Amino acid sequence: MTLHRVTGSLDGLVAPALVAAFDGWIDAAGAATGCANQLALGGDTVVAFDADVLTDYRSRRPVLDVIDGVLHQIAWPQLSIRRRRVGERDLLVLVGPEPDFRWRELGEDIAELTLRLGVAEWVTLGAIPAAVPHTRATNVFATASAPGLLRDDVEQGPQGLLRVPSAALSSIELSVMGAGISCVGFYAQVPHYVGGPFASASIALLEQVERHLSVEVGLGSLPEDALAQRARLDAAVEGDPTTKAYVEQLEAGLSEERIPSGDELGAEIERFLRDADGGEPGRPPPA
């Protein structure tokens, strides 16, 4: 038995690329899923995964609408693949909540599906919290399953060993790699004081995907969202001297040409986890 069901047409796929992003872990400020949803905009849902099997509803509760004191409907979390034709090729976009259960089985299921559909390449999208200011362009670093998959202007990193708690998507990507599919990943660095959404990082990821896949998707409302969020963040920072000094410190220490090492990224993620468990004394509050 598979963990998915086909809900739409998968006929006539042309050089399909599968782009994937899960919310939750490694989706800081919703930047990765924001990019994936823009990529899938207007597409048809062609594959749906069994949420009852994959989801712990006590930790990710469905949303209940109550209208005038009457239970109306429940919106269940849904992991799905949407199909969208862009130019001369098809995009398959896997997006939704990170599964709670059966990661290895899901990886095998998706790897088999990619082979059956003739997927030409796999692209993972992620976003990580980092000690970077919101006032600078979003840095994106990349991973690749083999040399030569990334364009010349894209740096592969981080260098050295990065050992962190795994995301479900990383486990699935390894299964897809094992099936012989070429895989790359793009990860945006998001200011750790931004709670989200952070459209600037979604734009940076989207531009990387467009260049890598040689497609033009369009940014939709993301530029307007980014400008509005920038204005709100600027106002919040300007109104708090401690936060302003902290952002200025980040700006002073930033080297735009430098990809952080694995140890540095690991330290940032550990700090993010520690802060999420109760906060860190002296850290500026989210803007």
Side-chain angles (χ1 to χ4, degrees):
M1 294 182 63
T2 66
L3 295 175
H4 72 272
R5 67 183 189 280
V6 176
T7 60
S9 174
L10 290 168
D11 296 331
L13 289 170
V14 178
L18 201 155
V19 183
F22 292 164
D23 69 13
W25 188 240
I26 311 192
D27 186 27
T33 48
C35 174
N37 283 317
Q38 180 64 30
L39 286 166
L41 190 64
D44 298 321
T45 300
V46 291
V47 176
F49 293 86
D50 191 343
D52 283 350
V53 170
L54 299 174
T55 308
D56 179 356
Y57 292 127
R58 294 170 300 177
S59 63
R60 186 187 296 274
R61 293 186 180 274
V63 177
L64 170 66
D65 289 342
V66 182
I67 301 177
D68 297 328
V70 179
L71 304 188
H72 184 59
Q73 66 179 8
I74 291 180
W76 298 94
Q78 181 60 66
L79 178 63
S80 63
I81 295 176
R82 283 178 276 174
R83 175 183 182 179
R84 180 181 178 184
R85 174 63 65 88
V86 180
E88 299 299 320
R89 71 183 308 179
D90 284 289
L91 294 184
L92 300 173
V93 184
L94 170 63
V95 63
E98 181 180 53
D100 295 300
F101 307 118
R102 300 173 78 165
W103 288 9
R104 286 182 288 190
E105 184 178 348
L106 181 62
E108 294 169 1
D109 189 75
I110 292 176
E112 186 277 331
L113 181 63
T114 60
L115 290 175
R116 181 154 47 91
L117 297 180
V119 168
E121 52 191 324
W122 171 284
V123 179
T124 290
L125 300 178
I128 61 171
V132 294
H134 72 279
T135 53
R136 300 293 178 86
T138 300
N139 182 58
V140 176
F141 67 90
T143 61
S145 60
L149 295 179
L150 298 170
R151 291 179 178 269
D152 292 339
D153 60 341
V154 179
E155 294 187 73
Q156 187 169 340
Q159 299 303 309
L161 173 65
L162 174 61
R163 178 170 287 163
V164 296
S166 177
L169 196 51
S170 301
S171 172
I172 293 168
E173 182 180 337
L174 284 170
S175 295
V176 173
M177 286 170 53
I181 306 294
S182 296
C183 298
V184 301
F186 297 112
Y187 299 87
Q189 290 184 287
V190 174
H192 64 79
Y193 55 85
V194 174
F198 193 56
S200 294
S202 295
I203 291 172
L205 289 170
L206 186 56
E207 290 174 340
Q208 290 286 356
V209 173
E210 287 183 322
R211 285 196 294 269
H212 180 75
L213 298 179
S214 299
V215 298
E216 293 185 11
V217 175
L219 300 177
S221 65
L222 287 174
E224 291 78 11
D225 295 341
L227 287 173
Q229 290 160 9
R230 172 64 186 268
R232 290 195 297 269
L233 284 166
D234 285 347
V237 168
E238 190 65 29
D240 184 87
T242 301
T243 302
K244 182 179 180 180
Y246 180 71
V247 172
E248 290 174 347
Q249 178 184 350
L250 293 178
E251 290 174 331
L254 182 67
S255 172
E256 294 185 2
E257 300 300 324
R258 179 175 174 272
I259 291 182
S261 69
D263 288 342
E264 289 169 330
L265 282 175
E268 283 299 323
I269 292 173
E270 288 176 2
R271 180 170 67 174
F272 173 74
L273 290 173
R274 184 169 64 249
D275 294 345
D277 287 337
E280 177 180 284
R283 175 190 166 188

